[in-house]
Amino acid sequence: MEAQWRQSGRGRGRARPGDELAARCGAAARPLASRGRGGARAAAAGTIGEGASGECRVLPFTRAAGPRAGEPAVARSPCRWRELSSLKKFDEIKKANQAAAKKLVEDQLSSSSEDDDEDAEVKQGKILDKTFTIYTTQTDGDASELERTRQYMNEAFQSGAMTCLICIASVKRNQAVWSCCGCFCIFHLVCIQKWAKDSLFLVSSPLMDDDFGKKDYPWPCPKCRFEYKRSETPSRYYCYCGKVENPTVDPWLVPHSCGQICEREFKPSCGHKCLLLCHPGPCPPCPKMVTTTCHCKKAKPVPRRCSAKEWSCRLPCGRTLLCGQHACENPCHAGDCQPCPRVSKQRCICGRQTVERLCASPQWQCDQVCGKCLPCGNHTCEQICHAGPCGDCPRSGKRSCPCGKTKFTLPCTEDVPTCGDSCDKVLECGIHKCSQRCHRGPCEICRQEVEKQCRCGKHTKRMPCHKPYLCETKCTKIRDCQKHQCRRKCCSGNCPPCDQVCGRTLGCRNHKCPSGCHRGSCNPCPETVDVKCNCGKTVIKVPCGRERTIKPPKCKQLCSRPPTCHHSTQEKHYCHFGRCPPCRQPCQKTLTCGHLCPVSCHDEALVKQTGFHQSAGPWEQPFEPAFIQTALPCPPCEVPIPVECLGQHEVSPLPCHSANPYSCKRFCGRLLDCQNHTCMKECHHVTKLNSSADGKKAGPECSQCEEECTKPRPAGCPHRCVLPCHPGDCPSCLQMLKMKCHCKLSVLYIECLKLTCADLKEKELLISCRNQCPKELPCGHRCKEICHSGSCPLNCSQKVKLRCLCKRLKKEVQCSKIQEGQISLECDALCKEMKRKAYEVKEAEAKAALEEEKRRQQAELEAFENRLKGRRKNKRRRDEVEVEQSSWQKYKNLIMLPVFGVAVVMV
């Protein structure tokens, strides 16, 4: 209840009604059981009240039953002193609880920028670094483009910097807010809702618009006047990026932020999204890297930041200008080229005059009349310098009389006469017509008398039609300000806006509204007030009305107060209010070792003192620890002294107070007697046998080598050395190697030493089995070479038979020549004659077969016709048609056998 009372505006800075009585008597905060035995007796005896003098006393009450009804209960109490002591202790506990509750409420409901100490600044720096982490990883740590966003975020933390311009009050981190997307100014959500409602009511007033409530009128931002639609009126509290509704209050986030990645699209849009955490103010420029070329497209594409992808190569543009004759000489630029700056002699449109003019404007007119003779031959062209033909004479063809009722066909040299009929043109009044005869020139004004009504519609009068009629009646309607009358003579009902000054006191309570008389809330006060620092050299301007609540600005001038420590001059720091910060200069006092103390000055260090006060009971509020200023002794000397380790591996700087030999924890590393390995013990002391001994040789404290020989063997030897780890070269390898020959058919045993020491030719002979190579050549014959490495030679020497195409002629040649295509065997004349005869025999056979097929079909046709001519009887006879064989079919075997026999013999 105390927190709720403090949170409401009424309980801030003054006591709640009834607190004074509760503080003196202690009768309104806790159950009676918590007051002790004395309090229980007092509650049982009577009610606790306040006397005329303000003292606490026990009021008697009458019981429904009892031996002495109406007698004061205090008179019957034997322990009056116990009751008074209990009430006194309860009073103390009550005051302590109220102070703790007040402090808790003030801490939780403080504004977003009330943490002004060093811890708050460190915390603010961590929050800003966390917000900018993702962006700076894309820019390799470059935060130069974040200055504007950083300014908005610093204002979110600075006390009094975030001010609602509508109510002129601070914006706190636990209040619902709304941010303008144009100027990014922050307002209270309730204030901006009321502002939008009042603005819409003013614009859509029924006195100013007949379509009240039908049109979607916009409402403006109070600062930048950016217009929003009626549907865009904020109704809910969102974070800056608009993802989370009602974001929770987190002390480790920017006030009113959700802590998520912003992901708003950059403006102007480039396809990427903001990488910062949810933040106030505008998004920084896009940090993505894109490959783009220059404006003129001549340079090669280079990687650049997306926000600065438009760049110039500084080479001449070279694009053809609008004149079509010259090229642009300006450096590579964006957009269209500028007009051609050169001057040239150019003719006018008619071609009579030539003048030096800018090349960018070749089309121009002189001031001479054309003067060419028209086709009629009687008139000349009166146009000013023009292109193309002059056209027909304007007086040729059919022409109308002045009133337009009659048309005449006359020569161009004669004027059109009047027709004599009435004019009948509509006069300026728009009601009556001209009653004169057809005439030249304008018609006269309307002189007819009509019954006219004034503008306000209250009076009528008969008067000439061309004269307006305004009465003297003053309008009594209320203007749009809903305060003053119109008072305009003969008003039509559409009264003008009020021209008087508003004069109402603004929210700053210092000035009055200078705007014209209006409805709704007044605009924020346009005045500003100067707020100065302690020395008065730094001044900031704040909205009028906030000078009493805003904190002074941070001054960049140096503080001029004298030092309070042993230093002659104090550390340079900026102007401030209150005490100077502790001195952070080096102490520079001489220590026992002779060095100077390098730590910060400790003449006025704050030391915490505890244990001096003991609480009287568990109900007593614990006291805060006391701090006193005292001079502390200098710490041990930390000047680095170079000290060598036990094994002489390194020289490390150690603090002066602990500069003794040490072990560096490395391996000893001294060369053992085997001359191949080093000592693997941890860094240790080594005794030198003589003064001339090398510092890298092992001593008696080092380990002994027990490893095998690991020296590299000759190339091709797979065996290990048979000796233990030894100095010098290894002996020659005398073992035998078992390996296959080149053709992989035989297994050979070769001495390892011979194989490793032989050259390429000797190795070729050692690995060969001296047998014929079993591999098959591409032609299909076996390789004739002795067992060898690599691929077989392609010059096959095997003899093969070569035949002609008809297989009659044959010849023996070398296989390699056939593979290379050097030799071929062609058919002779006899082969060609045999081919011809065989072809004739095939043609004769085909011709005979065709004649036989025709004869068979003819026979089948005759048999079918005979069956159709026969009588239809129950038992039909089958006509047997005997087909007689041809002479070729009878004697073809006798003819073909001898022919084929002769052909076989010839082949």
Side-chain angles (χ1 to χ4, degrees):
M1 302 226 5
E2 182 69 23
Q4 294 177 359
W5 172 256
R6 295 296 180 190
Q7 188 171 0
S8 64
R10 297 173 297 173
R12 188 174 301 165
R14 57 190 179 90
R16 185 180 60 176
D19 281 356
E20 182 181 359
L21 178 61
R24 287 200 301 261
C25 300
R30 297 176 181 266
L32 294 177
S34 64
R35 303 178 186 176
R37 290 185 298 172
R41 290 193 187 98
T47 60
I48 301 175
E50 184 179 11
S53 61
E55 298 178 352
C56 180
R57 63 186 184 88
V58 179
L59 301 179
F61 64 90
T62 58
R63 302 193 179 189
R68 295 181 181 180
E71 185 179 355
V74 180
R76 299 196 305 267
S77 176
C79 302
R80 174 61 181 256
W81 64 273
R82 293 182 180 178
E83 296 175 2
L84 295 177
S85 63
S86 298
L87 292 176
K88 183 178 180 181
K89 288 182 179 180
F90 181 77
D91 188 11
E92 294 176 355
I93 295 172
K94 175 64 176 178
K95 290 181 178 179
N97 289 341
Q98 287 180 353
K102 181 179 179 181
K103 182 179 180 182
L104 178 62
V105 171
E106 290 178 353
D107 291 343
Q108 291 185 353
L109 298 181
S110 61
S111 64
S112 60
S113 56
E114 288 181 355
D115 301 329
D116 199 23
D117 53 356
E118 294 182 359
D119 295 338
E121 292 181 357
V122 174
K123 177 179 176 182
Q124 176 181 343
K126 291 181 179 180
I127 295 175
L128 294 179
D129 294 340
K130 179 181 177 182
T131 305
F132 298 150
T133 298
I134 302 179
Y135 185 93
T136 52
T137 54
Q138 295 283 338
T139 60
D140 297 333
D142 184 14
S144 59
E145 300 290 347
L146 297 173
E147 293 301 326
R148 187 180 178 192
T149 306
R150 189 188 298 273
Q151 179 182 359
Y152 278 92
M153 298 185 69
N154 288 332
E155 289 180 357
F157 288 103
Q158 185 179 355
S159 175
M162 293 177 60
T163 304
C164 179
L165 297 180
I166 300 177
C167 64
I168 316 298
S170 296
V171 178
K172 300 183 179 181
R173 66 167 63 236
N174 62 337
Q175 295 175 337
V177 298
W178 175 84
S179 176
C180 175
C181 63
C183 60
F184 304 100
C185 187
I186 295 177
F187 306 92
H188 292 119
L189 182 62
V190 179
C191 296
I192 197 64
Q193 287 174 347
K194 185 177 182 298
W195 174 273
K197 183 179 178 182
D198 293 344
S199 300
L200 291 173
F201 181 76
L202 286 173
V203 175
S204 59
S205 174
L207 293 178
M208 299 178 62
D209 196 348
D210 296 335
D211 298 331
F212 175 69
K214 296 181 180 180
K215 294 183 179 180
D216 189 8
Y217 292 100
W219 56 273
C221 169
K223 183 178 180 181
C224 65
R225 316 308 294 178
F226 183 82
E227 292 187 349
Y228 294 89
K229 297 180 181 179
R230 182 192 296 266
S231 58
E232 295 176 347
T233 303
S235 59
R236 298 182 181 180
Y237 169 40
Y238 287 95
C239 61
Y240 296 114
C241 64
K243 293 181 181 178
V244 179
E245 181 180 354
N246 296 324
T248 57
V249 179
D250 191 343
W252 288 99
L253 291 177
V254 180
H256 316 292
S257 171
C258 64
Q260 302 180 19
I261 298 179
C262 178
E263 292 186 349
R264 287 183 290 184
E265 291 190 358
F266 290 108
K267 293 182 180 179
S269 179
C270 63
H272 303 129
K273 295 183 179 180
C274 182
L275 302 176
L276 300 182
L277 300 184
C278 181
H279 62 91
C283 296
C286 181
K288 295 286 185 180
M289 298 297 293
V290 296
T291 303
T292 179
T293 184
C294 62
H295 299 297
C296 64
K297 312 297 182 184
K298 292 182 180 179
K300 293 182 178 180
V302 295
R304 292 177 64 88
R305 291 278 166 79
C306 183
S307 58
K309 59 185 177 182
E310 301 291 338
W311 63 285
S312 173
C313 63
R314 311 308 299 172
L315 296 176
C317 176
R319 286 184 285 186
T320 304
L321 299 176
L322 296 178
C323 65
Q325 299 177 2
H326 306 106
C328 180
E329 298 177 354
N330 294 330
C332 175
H333 59 87
D336 297 332
C337 298
Q338 296 181 357
C340 183
R342 299 192 180 185
V343 177
S344 60
K345 291 184 178 182
Q346 300 174 5
R347 290 180 175 273
C348 64
I349 296 177
C350 65
R352 295 182 180 180
Q353 295 184 7
T354 302
V355 181
E356 286 190 353
R357 293 176 56 84
L358 290 175
C359 190
S361 57
Q363 299 290 333
W364 67 284
Q365 287 181 322
C366 63
D367 54 356
Q368 295 183 8
V369 180
C370 178
K372 294 180 181 179
C373 186
L374 297 178
C376 66
N378 300 319
H379 302 94
T380 57
C381 180
E382 298 179 357
Q383 300 182 29
I384 304 297
C385 182
H386 66 88
C390 297
D392 297 333
C393 179
R395 297 171 63 90
S396 62
K398 291 185 177 182
R399 289 179 288 169
S400 301
C401 64
C403 68
K405 294 181 179 180
T406 306
K407 292 185 178 181
F408 299 91
T409 303
L410 297 173
C412 63
T413 56
E414 297 182 8
D415 295 332
V416 178
T418 57
C419 63
D421 198 355
S422 58
C423 180
D424 287 340
K425 290 183 181 180
V426 180
L427 300 177
E428 292 181 357
C429 64
I431 301 174
H432 307 102
K433 295 182 180 180
C434 180
S435 59
Q436 296 181 1
R437 291 186 179 278
C438 179
H439 60 89
R440 293 182 176 87
C443 300
E444 296 182 353
I445 59 176
C446 184
R447 300 183 182 277
Q448 296 189 26
E449 288 190 357
V450 294
E451 191 78 17
K452 278 201 161 189
Q453 192 176 23
C454 65
R455 186 167 57 184
C456 64
K458 295 182 179 180
H459 305 277
T460 58
K461 184 178 181 181
R462 192 167 185 83
M463 57 188 307
C465 182
H466 68 278
K467 291 184 179 181
Y469 176 41
L470 299 176
C471 68
E472 298 296 327
T473 304
K474 294 183 178 180
C475 180
T476 59
K477 291 184 178 180
I478 302 297
R479 295 193 178 185
D480 57 351
C481 63
Q482 297 294 316
K483 295 179 180 179
H484 307 103
Q485 290 182 348
C486 177
R487 307 301 295 171
R488 189 175 63 160
K489 291 183 179 181
C490 195
C491 181
S492 61
N494 188 14
C495 301
C498 185
D499 54 358
Q500 298 188 29
V501 180
C502 176
R504 287 184 289 182
T505 303
L506 298 176
C508 63
R509 304 298 179 187
N510 297 328
H511 303 92
K512 294 185 178 181
C513 180
S515 304
C517 188
H518 59 87
R519 288 182 297 170
S521 302
C522 298
N523 292 335
C525 181
E527 301 294 333
T528 57
V529 181
D530 294 341
V531 178
K532 299 181 180 180
C533 65
N534 187 29
C535 65
K537 295 182 180 180
T538 303
V539 181
I540 62 172
K541 294 183 180 296
V542 298
C544 182
R546 291 291 297 160
E547 64 275 7
R548 293 181 294 273
T549 58
I550 195 170
K551 289 188 176 181
K554 293 184 178 180
C555 181
K556 297 299 181 181
Q557 301 294 328
L558 296 179
C559 181
S560 57
R561 297 179 184 178
T564 56
C565 59
H566 69 278
H567 293 101
S568 58
T569 58
Q570 66 173 348
E571 187 180 11
K572 294 181 179 181
H573 58 279
Y574 296 128
C575 170
H576 61 89
F577 291 91
R579 297 183 58 183
C580 292
C583 179
R584 292 186 176 87
Q585 299 182 68
C587 178
Q588 297 297 314
K589 292 182 180 179
T590 304
L591 303 177
T592 56
C593 60
H595 297 114
L596 298 179
C597 180
V599 299
S600 300
C601 180
H602 44 80
D603 288 349
E604 296 179 346
L606 292 177
V607 179
K608 179 179 179 181
Q609 288 187 342
T610 57
F612 291 95
H613 177 78
Q614 294 183 356
S615 58
W619 58 83
E620 186 173 359
Q621 188 79 8
F623 284 85
E624 295 182 358
F627 290 89
I628 60 173
Q629 281 189 347
T630 182
L632 297 179
C634 294
C637 182
E638 298 290 339
V639 176
I641 303 296
V643 179
E644 190 176 22
C645 68
L646 295 173
Q648 299 178 356
H649 300 112
E650 64 177 18
V651 177
S652 298
L654 298 180
C656 181
H657 69 276
S658 61
N660 297 316
Y662 68 100
S663 174
C664 63
K665 305 300 180 181
R666 298 180 183 176
F667 294 115
C668 177
R670 294 177 179 268
L671 190 64
L672 300 180
D673 295 336
C674 65
Q675 302 297 321
N676 298 324
H677 300 92
T678 57
C679 179
M680 301 302 292
K681 285 186 176 181
E682 189 178 312
C683 178
H684 60 86
H685 176 71
V686 179
T687 304
K688 291 185 179 180
L689 300 178
N690 50 42
S691 59
S692 62
D694 189 4
K696 295 185 178 179
K697 289 186 178 181
E701 293 85 3
C702 295
S703 59
Q704 300 295 326
C705 180
E706 298 178 355
E707 301 290 334
E708 297 181 353
C709 179
T710 58
K711 292 183 179 181
R713 305 296 295 165
C717 179
H719 308 105
R720 301 178 62 180
C721 182
V722 296
L723 299 179
C725 185
H726 60 87
D729 297 333
C730 296
S732 302
C733 182
L734 302 178
Q735 299 189 37
M736 301 297 288
L737 288 175
K738 179 182 179 181
M739 57 192 309
K740 288 188 177 183
C741 64
H742 297 301
C743 58
K744 308 299 181 182
L745 296 179
S746 302
V747 178
L748 305 178
Y749 291 90
I750 307 171
E751 192 174 348
C752 182
L753 178 61
K754 292 182 179 180
L755 188 63
T756 55
C757 295
D759 56 4
L760 293 178
K761 290 184 178 181
E762 292 177 353
K763 285 184 179 180
E764 182 77 16
L765 295 175
L766 288 174
I767 303 176
S768 175
C769 63
R770 304 295 193 282
N771 296 325
Q772 184 181 355
C773 180
K775 297 178 183 178
E776 187 177 291
L777 297 178
C779 60
H781 302 116
R782 183 178 176 182
C783 180
K784 299 294 183 180
E785 301 290 334
I786 297 175
C787 178
H788 61 87
S789 61
S791 58
C792 297
L794 299 179
N795 52 347
C796 180
S797 60
Q798 182 74 23
K799 296 290 185 177
V800 295
K801 292 182 179 181
L802 180 64
R803 293 180 180 273
C804 65
L805 294 177
C806 63
K807 309 297 183 181
R808 189 180 71 84
L809 302 178
K810 63 180 179 179
K811 181 181 180 182
E812 286 189 357
V813 295
Q814 195 173 354
C815 180
S816 60
K817 294 183 179 181
I818 296 177
Q819 297 296 329
E820 294 175 357
Q822 297 179 0
I823 300 176
S824 62
L825 186 59
E826 302 293 338
C827 295
D828 56 0
L830 183 58
C831 294
K832 294 180 180 180
E833 181 65 22
M834 292 179 68
K835 286 182 180 180
R836 185 183 61 79
K837 290 182 179 181
Y839 179 73
E840 290 177 355
V841 171
K842 286 184 180 181
E843 282 189 349
E845 287 182 356
K847 188 176 182 180
L850 183 60
E851 291 178 357
E852 182 64 23
E853 180 66 22
K854 288 182 179 181
R855 191 180 296 108
R856 185 181 62 79
Q857 291 179 358
Q858 183 65 28
E860 288 181 357
L861 181 60
E862 292 176 357
F864 180 72
E865 289 177 353
N866 292 335
R867 282 198 302 270
L868 291 178
K869 291 178 181 180
R871 295 180 181 179
R872 294 181 180 178
K873 297 181 180 181
N874 294 334
K875 293 181 181 180
R876 295 181 178 180
R877 297 179 180 178
R878 292 184 178 179
D879 296 334
E880 296 180 359
V881 179
E882 183 177 358
V883 179
E884 185 178 0
Q885 293 183 351
S886 62
S887 58
W888 167 254
Q889 291 178 347
K890 291 179 181 181
Y891 305 107
K892 67 178 180 180
N893 294 332
L894 298 176
I895 298 172
M896 295 301 298
L897 285 175
V899 173
F900 283 113
V902 173
V904 170
V905 172
M906 294 176 67
V907 172

